[in-house]
């Protein structure tokens, strides 16, 4: 089906990307967003090659690039200050940009509005029907040729269609900061420090900011505390004491990791996109990238089939494997930091070094980065 009307639940990365791509292909599109504005809560975000190519093809990187930093290296450092891994991000397939979190969403929102997408804020979706309609809390029914559930990990669309296999919050605490200035990150790189079951990282995030994130098991009371527990974190990372003093005075964004698996990503004329279909821990920075990349593939499949339901099933068969492999690796990464026995930290450092030295293993873990979306030119 080449054009029609689409109703979309959720104005996040997934919803705004698919809305823009459909509208540019002649669809009329309405997006329902439950909040009173389109906004991101949080600090920084990493975009990888598979998401970046979508933004580039859509001509949005010119507007976005000045707000971000193209990172050229990333490093992992262990509890003794030894390098566990160092990656060259200058190679196209592994490239990574770092942004203040609101920047890409603002650019996507502006792009959607520019092509006539109607974004209705304070419009809460309650359910969807496979025949093609969204039902909102005000009692309205919104019929469509295509319905997208891009309403995040607690998706009402997914739940209403009985598509949820797993929906869980994982027991990891994530604390993030967007710090003013680049004094802590003068180079275009990111560094992640590991000690026992905690991680802390610093990355350049555009011309004016440094992105910092920390992670620890949810059961680690001192590690999960906000304001940041300076002594406890300094005990894990003695070289970073000044940083923790600064974080203690800075505004934290606390988040949790989520995990979603769906029985299927579509039913009839309704598709699930982004976290609604496949929420994953952010350890590989792939949630938004997969959402954008899968959105781009979806419009390709809609152009190939007369019936929307057939297009949605073919799309899922084509992209689900890479997405689920990425979910698994993101989970392993979280588990290796969270449950590794503390006395064996030295062994872990050596394993991570060996892992990084194996191009095959690294390529498997970062398969999504290297898998561009399926476009019309693909066979
Ligand atoms: C700590 C942390 C760090 C992360 N770092 C990265 C990273 O570096 N790179 C990366 O790619 N990903 C990262 N992610 C993951 C990324 O944030 C998500 O994968 C991404 O936001 C998913 O986009 P989405 O549009 O599917 O869902 P969401 O961003 O959750 O958007 C869903 C939208 O739907 C709206 N909504 C929900 N329910 C309803 C309803 N019933 N009716 C109407 N509207 C509704 C919500 O208000 C929201 O605006 C991170 C996640 C976390 C927690």
């Amino acid at each position: 089906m080449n054009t029609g009307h689409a109703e979309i639940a959720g104005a996040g990365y997934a919803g705004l990307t698919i809305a823009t791509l459909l509208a540019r292909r002649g669809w009329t599109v309405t997006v329902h967003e439950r909040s009173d504005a389109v906004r991101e809560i949080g600090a920084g975000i990493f975009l990888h090659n598979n998401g970046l190519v979508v933004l580039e093809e859509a001509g949005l990187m010119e507007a976005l690039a000045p707000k971000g930093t193209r990172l050229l290296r990333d490093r992992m450092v262990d509890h003794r200050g030894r390098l566990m891994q160092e990656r060259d991000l200058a190679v196209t397939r592994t490239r990574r940009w770092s942004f203040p979190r609101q920047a890409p969403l603002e650019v996507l929102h502006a792009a959607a509005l520019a092509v006539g997408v109607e974004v209705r804020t304070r419009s809460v979706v309650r359910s969807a029907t496979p025949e093609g309609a969204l039902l909102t809390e005000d009692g309205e029914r919104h019929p469509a040729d295509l319905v997208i559930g891009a309403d995040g990990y607690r998706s009402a669309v997914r739940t209403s269609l009985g598509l949820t296999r797993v929906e869980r919050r994982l027991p990891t605490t994530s604390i993030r900061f967007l710090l003013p200035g680049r004094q802590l990150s003068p180079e275009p790189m990111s560094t992640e420090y590991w000690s026992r079951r905690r991680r802390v990282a610093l990355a350049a995030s555009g011309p004016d900011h440094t992105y910092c994130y920390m992670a620890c098991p949810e059961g680690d009371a001192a590690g999960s505390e906000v304001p940041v527990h300076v002594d406890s974190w300094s005990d894990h990372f003695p070289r970073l004491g000044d940083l923790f003093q600064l974080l203690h005075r800075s505004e934290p964004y606390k988040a949790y990791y989520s995990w979603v698996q769906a029985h299927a990503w579509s039913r009839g004329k309704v598709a699930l996109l982004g976290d609604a279909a496949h929420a994953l821990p952010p350890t590989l920075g792939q949630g938004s990238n997969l959402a954008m990349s899968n959105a781009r593939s979806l419009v390709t499949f809609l152009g190939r089939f007369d019936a929307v339901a057939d297009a949605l099933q073919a799309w899922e068969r084509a992209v689900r494997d890479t997405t689920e492999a990425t979910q698994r690796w993101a989970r392993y990464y979280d588990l290796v930091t969270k449950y590794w026995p503390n006395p064996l930290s030295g062994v872990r450092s050596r394993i991570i070094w060996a892992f990084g030295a194996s191009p095959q293993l690294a390529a498997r873990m970062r398969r999504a980065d290297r898998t561009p979306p399926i476009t019309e030119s693909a066979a």
Side-chain angles (χ1 to χ4, degrees):
M1 176 157 197
N2 285 321
T3 60
H5 177 67
E7 291 280 333
I8 299 175
Y13 281 90
L16 291 174
T17 304
I18 190 72
T20 305
L21 297 180
L22 287 171
R24 285 187 174 188
R25 285 161 179 77
W27 289 68
T28 57
V29 184
T30 303
V31 179
H32 300 265
E33 168 55 47
R34 78 173 164 198
S35 307
D36 56 3
V38 173
R39 66 168 159 258
E40 270 285 21
I41 296 168
I45 192 160
F46 296 125
L47 297 186
H48 293 93
N49 193 52
N50 55 326
L52 292 166
V53 293
V54 178
L55 294 166
E56 280 165 350
E57 188 200 41
L60 302 180
M61 271 309 273
E62 288 82 45
L64 200 47
K67 302 174 184 203
T69 304
R70 181 171 179 182
L71 302 179
L72 298 179
R73 264 183 311 144
D74 94 338
R75 304 189 311 150
M76 293 165 76
V77 175
D78 78 2
H79 58 295
R80 294 198 183 133
R82 291 176 310 197
L83 198 61
M84 296 192 287
Q85 236 183 66
E86 178 155 27
R87 287 198 313 139
D88 176 4
L89 302 177
V91 184
T92 301
R93 287 184 312 168
T94 61
R95 74 200 161 122
R96 182 198 298 180
W97 281 70
S98 170
F99 294 97
R101 205 172 163 96
Q102 183 70 12
L105 203 75
E106 274 172 4
V107 166
L108 281 168
H109 186 200
L113 297 179
V115 282
V117 171
E118 184 192 358
V119 180
R120 288 192 198 168
T121 52
R122 291 199 188 93
S123 181
V124 182
V125 171
R126 205 173 47 197
S127 60
T129 67
E131 298 74 30
L134 270 186
L135 306 169
T136 42
E137 275 196 345
D138 57 9
E140 290 285 313
R141 185 173 186 278
H142 308 271
D145 302 296
L146 169 67
V147 171
I148 305 283
D151 47 347
Y153 102 97
R154 286 206 169 104
S155 169
V157 171
R158 187 188 66 235
T159 307
S160 70
L161 296 173
L163 291 175
T164 306
R165 187 158 76 199
V166 183
E167 179 199 305
R168 280 206 287 142
R169 209 183 86 177
L170 301 176
T172 304
T173 300
S174 167
I175 310 169
R176 297 175 287 162
F177 301 85
L178 192 61
L179 303 168
R182 285 280 301 272
Q183 295 87 341
L184 290 164
S185 60
E187 303 295 325
M189 59 185 287
S190 69
T191 306
E192 190 169 279
Y193 302 87
W194 291 36
S195 175
R196 291 173 257 168
R197 292 174 177 170
R198 295 188 189 175
R199 288 182 287 132
V200 57
L202 285 169
S205 185
D208 303 321
H209 292 96
T210 298
Y211 175 34
C212 172
Y213 60 85
M214 310 161 91
C216 69
E218 198 180 10
D220 177 346
S224 302
E225 224 174 79
V226 287
V228 164
H229 193 306
V230 176
D231 289 346
S232 173
W233 279 92
S234 303
D235 174 55
H236 278 68
F237 301 94
R239 293 177 183 81
L240 301 179
D242 290 347
L243 171 66
F244 300 125
Q245 297 279 3
L246 172 67
L247 298 180
H248 184 80
R249 302 189 299 270
S250 304
E251 187 190 357
Y253 297 91
K254 209 167 176 181
Y256 297 92
Y257 292 4
S258 50
W259 180 257
V260 165
Q261 286 180 307
H263 294 296
W265 287 6
S266 73
R267 177 150 296 167
K269 292 181 177 176
V270 186
L272 301 175
L273 191 64
D275 278 11
H278 50 70
L280 69 168
T283 46
L284 300 178
Q286 267 294 340
S288 302
N289 292 285
L290 285 169
M292 291 190 285
S293 173
N294 289 344
R296 178 61 185 90
S297 300
L298 178 52
V299 293
T300 302
F301 281 85
L302 287 167
R304 283 186 190 169
F305 289 81
D306 291 331
V308 165
D310 293 342
L312 299 184
Q313 286 175 21
W315 162 72
E316 178 180 345
R317 281 196 297 277
V319 302
R320 188 165 173 157
D321 192 51
T322 296
T323 302
E324 290 194 337
T326 307
Q327 275 188 298
R328 283 193 298 276
W329 280 104
R331 187 82 190 277
Y332 299 151
Y333 197 114
D334 182 38
L335 294 174
V336 164
T337 44
K338 215 161 54 186
Y339 296 120
W340 193 271
N342 289 337
L344 297 181
S345 292
V347 177
R348 182 174 64 182
S349 300
R350 287 196 289 279
I351 291 173
I352 291 173
W353 183 86
F355 199 95
S358 159
Q360 291 83 1
L361 278 174
R364 283 177 71 178
M365 182 165 90
R366 300 193 185 269
R367 175 173 153 187
D369 300 28
R370 295 156 186 258
T371 308
I374 300 163
T375 58
E376 288 72 13
S377 58

